[in-house]
Amino acid sequence: MSLIRLDKMLANAGVGSRTQVKYHIKKGLVTVNGTPASKPELKVDPDKDTICINGEPINTSLAEYFILNKPAGYVSATKDNIHSDVVSLIDSTRKDLFPVGRLDKDTEGLLLITNDGALAHNMLSPKKHVEKTYYAVIDGIVTDDDVTVFAQGVNIGDEDLNVALPAKLTILNEPLSSYYNGVDSEKDKNVSYITVTITEGKFHQVKRMFHAIGKEVLYLKRISFGPLTLPEDLPISKSRKLTVNELKLLESYIKKD
Ligand code: URA
């Protein structure tokens, strides 16, 4: 049982701002299990209590899941004072949505946005080793030796030893057209197109892995996260709800050891 303040819960559910919700409560329009709520601080259990506004029940514990194609320039945070946060791109009135994990401000691609804390916890748990695949454009020629170094675990520590877990680096012959984000043609001759799959989420991990082998990431896009793949037809900055099938995949994925 997790209790939460009535006004917070209603605001999270997208009923209105905290001030508007308090006004509804004061007017006696909000009932909890049939009784008009006495005060905004009243503690309620969203999973058990029946909460209505004007007699209309509110489904407060409904979990929501969105897949977002994050654009560059947005931070993976939910603070109210950050206007370019990723949650502002989601078409929902809920106030309790948050991104599952982080992508750098300049990184694009797949972000899962939800209000399901348990699922987020599982997907981010270091014990689960959730696979994340990135497509990247690299300044310099990535070689088969680099593939071997990544497979063995590259040291990304600046001074101390900080060896990344083995990662699967794949050199592509050409840009992934649907994801390629133009690098000027002169430079193109000296760039490589790769995908890399990692199973941890260290700060700036992919950039640091390439930096450690003397190469820099010019463009980075996450194309998969656990069982989820970025849909090719999802335009940048757009999101959609997870399909029933994607949700099933996610649920069975987090059950695995
Ligand atoms: N690795 C990075 O360097 N940046 C990201 O945003 C994600 C992984």
Side-chain angles (χ1 to χ4, degrees):
M1 180 175 74
S2 65
L3 295 178
I4 177 172
R5 275 177 66 127
L6 177 63
D7 56 347
K8 183 166 196 273
M9 193 223 62
L10 289 170
N12 283 348
V15 165
S17 69
R18 208 66 175 250
T19 311
Q20 287 166 334
V21 161
K22 280 182 180 155
Y23 179 77
H24 290 323
I25 296 170
K26 207 171 145 202
K27 285 270 171 194
L29 302 176
V30 178
T31 58
V32 178
N33 302 323
T35 308
S38 50
K39 51 185 183 180
E41 313 86 80
L42 189 72
K43 290 281 171 55
V44 291
D45 182 343
D47 292 326
K48 293 207 182 114
D49 292 328
T50 303
I51 294 151
C52 299
I53 291 195
N54 283 324
E56 284 293 318
I58 309 243
N59 195 350
T60 52
S61 59
L62 191 71
E64 293 210 54
Y65 306 87
F66 295 87
I67 192 165
L68 169 71
N69 188 354
K70 177 192 173 297
Y74 279 73
V75 293
S76 306
T78 50
K79 293 204 185 80
D80 288 341
N81 58 349
I82 299 177
H83 296 300
S84 59
D85 71 285
V86 285
V87 174
S88 67
L89 295 167
I90 305 294
D91 186 17
S92 169
T93 51
R94 290 200 76 104
K95 300 285 190 296
D96 53 356
L97 295 171
F98 58 88
V100 180
R102 286 168 185 271
L103 291 177
D104 295 339
K105 192 170 179 184
D106 59 350
T107 301
E108 296 181 357
L110 196 168
L111 251 189
L112 176 62
I113 312 269
T114 185
N115 56 348
D116 183 340
L119 178 118
H121 179 78
N122 271 297
M123 290 299 285
L124 297 175
S125 164
K127 289 187 205 133
K128 293 273 179 192
H129 297 302
V130 170
E131 289 194 340
K132 292 157 272 253
T133 299
Y134 295 83
Y135 164 68
V137 181
I138 308 297
D139 194 2
I141 302 302
V142 177
T143 64
D144 288 342
D145 284 349
D146 297 332
V147 174
T148 307
V149 172
F150 272 37
Q152 286 165 347
V154 55
N155 178 25
I156 57 172
D158 289 334
E159 283 160 20
D160 301 328
L161 195 63
N162 185 359
V163 180
L165 288 175
K168 185 171 168 33
L169 175 59
T170 305
I171 303 168
L172 308 175
N173 292 329
E174 52 189 33
L176 271 188
S177 58
S178 51
Y179 298 125
Y180 182 49
N181 190 25
V183 172
D184 70 59
S185 53
E186 195 45 45
K187 247 188 159 180
D188 266 2
K189 293 182 193 126
N190 214 27
V191 302
S192 305
Y193 310 101
I194 63 95
T195 60
V196 62
T197 302
I198 59 175
T199 57
E200 27 177 15
K202 294 182 200 271
F203 187 58
H204 295 328
Q205 177 151 350
V206 174
K207 290 172 188 163
R208 284 163 68 202
M209 288 168 83
F210 279 97
H211 185 73
I213 58 162
K215 292 166 185 137
E216 302 302 327
V217 171
L218 296 173
Y219 171 77
L220 189 62
K221 181 164 199 128
R222 184 155 71 186
I223 57 175
S224 79
F225 181 45
L228 302 177
T229 305
L230 185 68
E232 297 218 358
D233 60 354
L234 187 66
I236 194 92
S237 302
K238 295 287 179 206
S239 66
R240 66 153 169 76
K241 289 195 174 185
L242 288 196
T243 62
V244 173
N245 194 37
E246 284 169 332
L247 256 178
K248 276 192 197 146
L249 286 173
L250 209 48
E251 276 159 14
S252 51
Y253 187 86
I254 58 171
K255 281 193 197 124
K256 81 177 176 67
D257 295 330

PDB file of all heavy atoms in Angstrom, residues 23-49:
ATOM      1  N   TYR A  23      -8.762  23.765  -5.203  1.00  0.00           N
ATOM      2  CA  TYR A  23     -10.023  24.496  -5.335  1.00  0.00           C
ATOM      3  C   TYR A  23     -11.198  23.510  -5.458  1.00  0.00           C
ATOM      4  O   TYR A  23     -12.219  23.655  -4.789  1.00  0.00           O
ATOM      5  CB  TYR A  23      -9.932  25.415  -6.566  1.00  0.00           C
ATOM      6  CG  TYR A  23     -11.166  26.224  -6.838  1.00  0.00           C
ATOM      7  CD1 TYR A  23     -11.455  27.352  -6.076  1.00  0.00           C
ATOM      8  CD2 TYR A  23     -12.048  25.845  -7.844  1.00  0.00           C
ATOM      9  CE1 TYR A  23     -12.606  28.092  -6.323  1.00  0.00           C
ATOM     10  CE2 TYR A  23     -13.196  26.575  -8.098  1.00  0.00           C
ATOM     11  CZ  TYR A  23     -13.468  27.697  -7.332  1.00  0.00           C
ATOM     12  OH  TYR A  23     -14.608  28.429  -7.572  1.00  0.00           O
ATOM     13  N   HIS A  24     -11.008  22.479  -6.300  1.00  0.00           N
ATOM     14  CA  HIS A  24     -12.064  21.448  -6.469  1.00  0.00           C
ATOM     15  C   HIS A  24     -12.375  20.797  -5.123  1.00  0.00           C
ATOM     16  O   HIS A  24     -13.530  20.537  -4.800  1.00  0.00           O
ATOM     17  CB  HIS A  24     -11.607  20.349  -7.431  1.00  0.00           C
ATOM     18  CG  HIS A  24     -11.495  20.786  -8.856  1.00  0.00           C
ATOM     19  ND1 HIS A  24     -12.365  21.664  -9.452  1.00  0.00           N
ATOM     20  CD2 HIS A  24     -10.602  20.451  -9.825  1.00  0.00           C
ATOM     21  CE1 HIS A  24     -12.010  21.860 -10.703  1.00  0.00           C
ATOM     22  NE2 HIS A  24     -10.938  21.133 -10.957  1.00  0.00           N
ATOM     23  N   ILE A  25     -11.304  20.506  -4.364  1.00  0.00           N
ATOM     24  CA  ILE A  25     -11.490  19.823  -3.072  1.00  0.00           C
ATOM     25  C   ILE A  25     -12.266  20.743  -2.115  1.00  0.00           C
ATOM     26  O   ILE A  25     -13.223  20.324  -1.464  1.00  0.00           O
ATOM     27  CB  ILE A  25     -10.126  19.401  -2.468  1.00  0.00           C
ATOM     28  CG1 ILE A  25      -9.456  18.369  -3.384  1.00  0.00           C
ATOM     29  CG2 ILE A  25     -10.300  18.836  -1.050  1.00  0.00           C
ATOM     30  CD1 ILE A  25      -8.014  18.033  -3.038  1.00  0.00           C
ATOM     31  N   LYS A  26     -11.862  22.015  -2.094  1.00  0.00           N
ATOM     32  CA  LYS A  26     -12.504  22.991  -1.202  1.00  0.00           C
ATOM     33  C   LYS A  26     -13.996  23.128  -1.529  1.00  0.00           C
ATOM     34  O   LYS A  26     -14.847  23.249  -0.657  1.00  0.00           O
ATOM     35  CB  LYS A  26     -11.797  24.346  -1.374  1.00  0.00           C
ATOM     36  CG  LYS A  26     -11.873  25.225  -0.149  1.00  0.00           C
ATOM     37  CD  LYS A  26     -10.976  26.428  -0.305  1.00  0.00           C
ATOM     38  CE  LYS A  26     -11.628  27.629   0.371  1.00  0.00           C
ATOM     39  NZ  LYS A  26     -11.125  28.882  -0.154  1.00  0.00           N
ATOM     40  N   LYS A  27     -14.304  23.041  -2.810  1.00  0.00           N
ATOM     41  CA  LYS A  27     -15.702  23.166  -3.254  1.00  0.00           C
ATOM     42  C   LYS A  27     -16.513  21.905  -2.975  1.00  0.00           C
ATOM     43  O   LYS A  27     -17.698  21.837  -3.280  1.00  0.00           O
ATOM     44  CB  LYS A  27     -15.724  23.438  -4.768  1.00  0.00           C
ATOM     45  CG  LYS A  27     -15.344  24.838  -5.137  1.00  0.00           C
ATOM     46  CD  LYS A  27     -16.567  25.722  -5.174  1.00  0.00           C
ATOM     47  CE  LYS A  27     -16.213  27.179  -5.335  1.00  0.00           C
ATOM     48  NZ  LYS A  27     -17.340  28.058  -5.049  1.00  0.00           N
ATOM     49  N   GLY A  28     -15.828  20.850  -2.488  1.00  0.00           N
ATOM     50  CA  GLY A  28     -16.533  19.603  -2.160  1.00  0.00           C
ATOM     51  C   GLY A  28     -16.844  18.745  -3.376  1.00  0.00           C
ATOM     52  O   GLY A  28     -17.714  17.869  -3.344  1.00  0.00           O
ATOM     53  N   LEU A  29     -16.118  18.997  -4.483  1.00  0.00           N
ATOM     54  CA  LEU A  29     -16.403  18.253  -5.717  1.00  0.00           C
ATOM     55  C   LEU A  29     -15.680  16.910  -5.777  1.00  0.00           C
ATOM     56  O   LEU A  29     -15.957  16.083  -6.629  1.00  0.00           O
ATOM     57  CB  LEU A  29     -15.986  19.092  -6.937  1.00  0.00           C
ATOM     58  CG  LEU A  29     -16.637  20.466  -7.065  1.00  0.00           C
ATOM     59  CD1 LEU A  29     -16.069  21.223  -8.250  1.00  0.00           C
ATOM     60  CD2 LEU A  29     -18.147  20.307  -7.208  1.00  0.00           C
ATOM     61  N   VAL A  30     -14.717  16.728  -4.860  1.00  0.00           N
ATOM     62  CA  VAL A  30     -13.912  15.496  -4.900  1.00  0.00           C
ATOM     63  C   VAL A  30     -14.369  14.552  -3.794  1.00  0.00           C
ATOM     64  O   VAL A  30     -14.479  14.956  -2.635  1.00  0.00           O
ATOM     65  CB  VAL A  30     -12.415  15.835  -4.704  1.00  0.00           C
ATOM     66  CG1 VAL A  30     -11.572  14.565  -4.701  1.00  0.00           C
ATOM     67  CG2 VAL A  30     -11.942  16.793  -5.788  1.00  0.00           C
ATOM     68  N   THR A  31     -14.659  13.316  -4.180  1.00  0.00           N
ATOM     69  CA  THR A  31     -15.027  12.314  -3.163  1.00  0.00           C
ATOM     70  C   THR A  31     -14.005  11.185  -3.140  1.00  0.00           C
ATOM     71  O   THR A  31     -13.425  10.825  -4.171  1.00  0.00           O
ATOM     72  CB  THR A  31     -16.421  11.717  -3.416  1.00  0.00           C
ATOM     73  OG1 THR A  31     -16.424  11.138  -4.728  1.00  0.00           O
ATOM     74  CG2 THR A  31     -17.522  12.742  -3.281  1.00  0.00           C
ATOM     75  N   VAL A  32     -13.795  10.659  -1.926  1.00  0.00           N
ATOM     76  CA  VAL A  32     -12.939   9.482  -1.759  1.00  0.00           C
ATOM     77  C   VAL A  32     -13.820   8.391  -1.160  1.00  0.00           C
ATOM     78  O   VAL A  32     -14.380   8.575  -0.073  1.00  0.00           O
ATOM     79  CB  VAL A  32     -11.740   9.792  -0.825  1.00  0.00           C
ATOM     80  CG1 VAL A  32     -10.875   8.544  -0.628  1.00  0.00           C
ATOM     81  CG2 VAL A  32     -10.909  10.936  -1.374  1.00  0.00           C
ATOM     82  N   ASN A  33     -13.983   7.337  -1.901  1.00  0.00           N
ATOM     83  CA  ASN A  33     -14.888   6.238  -1.514  1.00  0.00           C
ATOM     84  C   ASN A  33     -16.269   6.771  -1.128  1.00  0.00           C
ATOM     85  O   ASN A  33     -16.874   6.351  -0.139  1.00  0.00           O
ATOM     86  CB  ASN A  33     -14.286   5.421  -0.367  1.00  0.00           C
ATOM     87  CG  ASN A  33     -12.929   4.857  -0.743  1.00  0.00           C
ATOM     88  OD1 ASN A  33     -12.711   4.467  -1.896  1.00  0.00           O
ATOM     89  ND2 ASN A  33     -11.995   4.837   0.195  1.00  0.00           N
ATOM     90  N   GLY A  34     -16.736   7.732  -1.905  1.00  0.00           N
ATOM     91  CA  GLY A  34     -18.102   8.236  -1.732  1.00  0.00           C
ATOM     92  C   GLY A  34     -18.243   9.384  -0.744  1.00  0.00           C
ATOM     93  O   GLY A  34     -19.294  10.029  -0.704  1.00  0.00           O
ATOM     94  N   THR A  35     -17.197   9.667   0.007  1.00  0.00           N
ATOM     95  CA  THR A  35     -17.283  10.746   0.999  1.00  0.00           C
ATOM     96  C   THR A  35     -16.525  11.971   0.483  1.00  0.00           C
ATOM     97  O   THR A  35     -15.378  11.825   0.029  1.00  0.00           O
ATOM     98  CB  THR A  35     -16.618  10.290   2.332  1.00  0.00           C
ATOM     99  OG1 THR A  35     -17.200   9.049   2.690  1.00  0.00           O
ATOM    100  CG2 THR A  35     -16.815  11.308   3.431  1.00  0.00           C
ATOM    101  N   PRO A  36     -17.134  13.168   0.553  1.00  0.00           N
ATOM    102  CA  PRO A  36     -16.400  14.348   0.080  1.00  0.00           C
ATOM    103  C   PRO A  36     -15.072  14.511   0.827  1.00  0.00           C
ATOM    104  O   PRO A  36     -15.027  14.357   2.049  1.00  0.00           O
ATOM    105  CB  PRO A  36     -17.352  15.509   0.411  1.00  0.00           C
ATOM    106  CG  PRO A  36     -18.707  14.873   0.474  1.00  0.00           C
ATOM    107  CD  PRO A  36     -18.494  13.479   0.997  1.00  0.00           C
ATOM    108  N   ALA A  37     -14.018  14.762   0.067  1.00  0.00           N
ATOM    109  CA  ALA A  37     -12.684  14.886   0.675  1.00  0.00           C
ATOM    110  C   ALA A  37     -12.632  16.140   1.533  1.00  0.00           C
ATOM    111  O   ALA A  37     -13.091  17.208   1.112  1.00  0.00           O
ATOM    112  CB  ALA A  37     -11.630  14.950  -0.414  1.00  0.00           C
ATOM    113  N   SER A  38     -12.061  16.006   2.740  1.00  0.00           N
ATOM    114  CA  SER A  38     -12.067  17.113   3.688  1.00  0.00           C
ATOM    115  C   SER A  38     -10.938  18.098   3.425  1.00  0.00           C
ATOM    116  O   SER A  38     -11.083  19.300   3.626  1.00  0.00           O
ATOM    117  CB  SER A  38     -11.958  16.569   5.107  1.00  0.00           C
ATOM    118  OG  SER A  38     -10.873  15.662   5.180  1.00  0.00           O
ATOM    119  N   LYS A  39      -9.810  17.609   2.943  1.00  0.00           N
ATOM    120  CA  LYS A  39      -8.644  18.497   2.784  1.00  0.00           C
ATOM    121  C   LYS A  39      -7.678  17.937   1.733  1.00  0.00           C
ATOM    122  O   LYS A  39      -7.619  16.716   1.523  1.00  0.00           O
ATOM    123  CB  LYS A  39      -7.928  18.654   4.124  1.00  0.00           C
ATOM    124  CG  LYS A  39      -7.613  17.339   4.794  1.00  0.00           C
ATOM    125  CD  LYS A  39      -7.015  17.509   6.171  1.00  0.00           C
ATOM    126  CE  LYS A  39      -6.696  16.113   6.673  1.00  0.00           C
ATOM    127  NZ  LYS A  39      -6.150  15.908   7.889  1.00  0.00           N
ATOM    128  N   PRO A  40      -6.890  18.831   1.128  1.00  0.00           N
ATOM    129  CA  PRO A  40      -5.961  18.400   0.070  1.00  0.00           C
ATOM    130  C   PRO A  40      -4.889  17.443   0.580  1.00  0.00           C
ATOM    131  O   PRO A  40      -4.376  16.627  -0.170  1.00  0.00           O
ATOM    132  CB  PRO A  40      -5.307  19.698  -0.399  1.00  0.00           C
ATOM    133  CG  PRO A  40      -6.121  20.801   0.150  1.00  0.00           C
ATOM    134  CD  PRO A  40      -6.855  20.282   1.342  1.00  0.00           C
ATOM    135  N   GLU A  41      -4.546  17.559   1.883  1.00  0.00           N
ATOM    136  CA  GLU A  41      -3.463  16.713   2.435  1.00  0.00           C
ATOM    137  C   GLU A  41      -3.916  15.288   2.726  1.00  0.00           C
ATOM    138  O   GLU A  41      -3.091  14.452   3.110  1.00  0.00           O
ATOM    139  CB  GLU A  41      -2.902  17.268   3.752  1.00  0.00           C
ATOM    140  CG  GLU A  41      -2.571  18.730   3.810  1.00  0.00           C
ATOM    141  CD  GLU A  41      -3.764  19.576   4.174  1.00  0.00           C
ATOM    142  OE1 GLU A  41      -4.092  19.666   5.362  1.00  0.00           O
ATOM    143  OE2 GLU A  41      -4.385  20.137   3.246  1.00  0.00           O
ATOM    144  N   LEU A  42      -5.202  15.026   2.576  1.00  0.00           N
ATOM    145  CA  LEU A  42      -5.723  13.689   2.876  1.00  0.00           C
ATOM    146  C   LEU A  42      -4.893  12.627   2.150  1.00  0.00           C
ATOM    147  O   LEU A  42      -4.602  12.774   0.964  1.00  0.00           O
ATOM    148  CB  LEU A  42      -7.175  13.620   2.383  1.00  0.00           C
ATOM    149  CG  LEU A  42      -7.984  12.398   2.783  1.00  0.00           C
ATOM    150  CD1 LEU A  42      -8.332  12.465   4.271  1.00  0.00           C
ATOM    151  CD2 LEU A  42      -9.255  12.326   1.947  1.00  0.00           C
ATOM    152  N   LYS A  43      -4.494  11.578   2.877  1.00  0.00           N
ATOM    153  CA  LYS A  43      -3.689  10.532   2.252  1.00  0.00           C
ATOM    154  C   LYS A  43      -4.619   9.486   1.622  1.00  0.00           C
ATOM    155  O   LYS A  43      -5.567   9.030   2.265  1.00  0.00           O
ATOM    156  CB  LYS A  43      -2.793   9.857   3.300  1.00  0.00           C
ATOM    157  CG  LYS A  43      -1.677  10.772   3.801  1.00  0.00           C
ATOM    158  CD  LYS A  43      -0.555  10.806   2.793  1.00  0.00           C
ATOM    159  CE  LYS A  43       0.513  11.835   3.055  1.00  0.00           C
ATOM    160  NZ  LYS A  43       1.160  11.842   4.311  1.00  0.00           N
ATOM    161  N   VAL A  44      -4.336   9.159   0.360  1.00  0.00           N
ATOM    162  CA  VAL A  44      -5.181   8.175  -0.335  1.00  0.00           C
ATOM    163  C   VAL A  44      -4.300   7.077  -0.931  1.00  0.00           C
ATOM    164  O   VAL A  44      -3.098   7.268  -1.132  1.00  0.00           O
ATOM    165  CB  VAL A  44      -6.017   8.830  -1.462  1.00  0.00           C
ATOM    166  CG1 VAL A  44      -7.077   9.750  -0.895  1.00  0.00           C
ATOM    167  CG2 VAL A  44      -5.124   9.562  -2.451  1.00  0.00           C
ATOM    168  N   ASP A  45      -4.933   5.952  -1.212  1.00  0.00           N
ATOM    169  CA  ASP A  45      -4.233   4.839  -1.852  1.00  0.00           C
ATOM    170  C   ASP A  45      -4.758   4.736  -3.293  1.00  0.00           C
ATOM    171  O   ASP A  45      -5.882   4.277  -3.511  1.00  0.00           O
ATOM    172  CB  ASP A  45      -4.514   3.542  -1.084  1.00  0.00           C
ATOM    173  CG  ASP A  45      -3.762   2.358  -1.684  1.00  0.00           C
ATOM    174  OD1 ASP A  45      -3.315   2.474  -2.846  1.00  0.00           O
ATOM    175  OD2 ASP A  45      -3.637   1.339  -1.003  1.00  0.00           O
ATOM    176  N   PRO A  46      -3.971   5.164  -4.281  1.00  0.00           N
ATOM    177  CA  PRO A  46      -4.457   5.196  -5.662  1.00  0.00           C
ATOM    178  C   PRO A  46      -4.878   3.813  -6.175  1.00  0.00           C
ATOM    179  O   PRO A  46      -5.694   3.719  -7.083  1.00  0.00           O
ATOM    180  CB  PRO A  46      -3.272   5.722  -6.469  1.00  0.00           C
ATOM    181  CG  PRO A  46      -2.303   6.257  -5.485  1.00  0.00           C
ATOM    182  CD  PRO A  46      -2.576   5.605  -4.173  1.00  0.00           C
ATOM    183  N   ASP A  47      -4.305   2.752  -5.580  1.00  0.00           N
ATOM    184  CA  ASP A  47      -4.642   1.408  -6.065  1.00  0.00           C
ATOM    185  C   ASP A  47      -5.965   0.898  -5.482  1.00  0.00           C
ATOM    186  O   ASP A  47      -6.571  -0.006  -6.029  1.00  0.00           O
ATOM    187  CB  ASP A  47      -3.525   0.418  -5.711  1.00  0.00           C
ATOM    188  CG  ASP A  47      -2.263   0.722  -6.495  1.00  0.00           C
ATOM    189  OD1 ASP A  47      -2.405   1.168  -7.653  1.00  0.00           O
ATOM    190  OD2 ASP A  47      -1.166   0.550  -5.954  1.00  0.00           O
ATOM    191  N   LYS A  48      -6.378   1.468  -4.349  1.00  0.00           N
ATOM    192  CA  LYS A  48      -7.563   0.909  -3.676  1.00  0.00           C
ATOM    193  C   LYS A  48      -8.728   1.879  -3.586  1.00  0.00           C
ATOM    194  O   LYS A  48      -9.879   1.474  -3.702  1.00  0.00           O
ATOM    195  CB  LYS A  48      -7.177   0.484  -2.252  1.00  0.00           C
ATOM    196  CG  LYS A  48      -6.200  -0.677  -2.231  1.00  0.00           C
ATOM    197  CD  LYS A  48      -6.337  -1.482  -0.953  1.00  0.00           C
ATOM    198  CE  LYS A  48      -5.325  -2.609  -0.927  1.00  0.00           C
ATOM    199  NZ  LYS A  48      -4.336  -2.470   0.104  1.00  0.00           N
ATOM    200  N   ASP A  49      -8.431   3.159  -3.364  1.00  0.00           N
ATOM    201  CA  ASP A  49      -9.518   4.111  -3.134  1.00  0.00           C
ATOM    202  C   ASP A  49     -10.194   4.501  -4.449  1.00  0.00           C
ATOM    203  O   ASP A  49      -9.538   4.594  -5.493  1.00  0.00           O
ATOM    204  CB  ASP A  49      -8.969   5.370  -2.433  1.00  0.00           C
ATOM    205  CG  ASP A  49      -8.520   5.062  -1.017  1.00  0.00           C
ATOM    206  OD1 ASP A  49      -9.131   4.177  -0.386  1.00  0.00           O
ATOM    207  OD2 ASP A  49      -7.553   5.686  -0.556  1.00  0.00           O
TER     208      ASP A  49
END
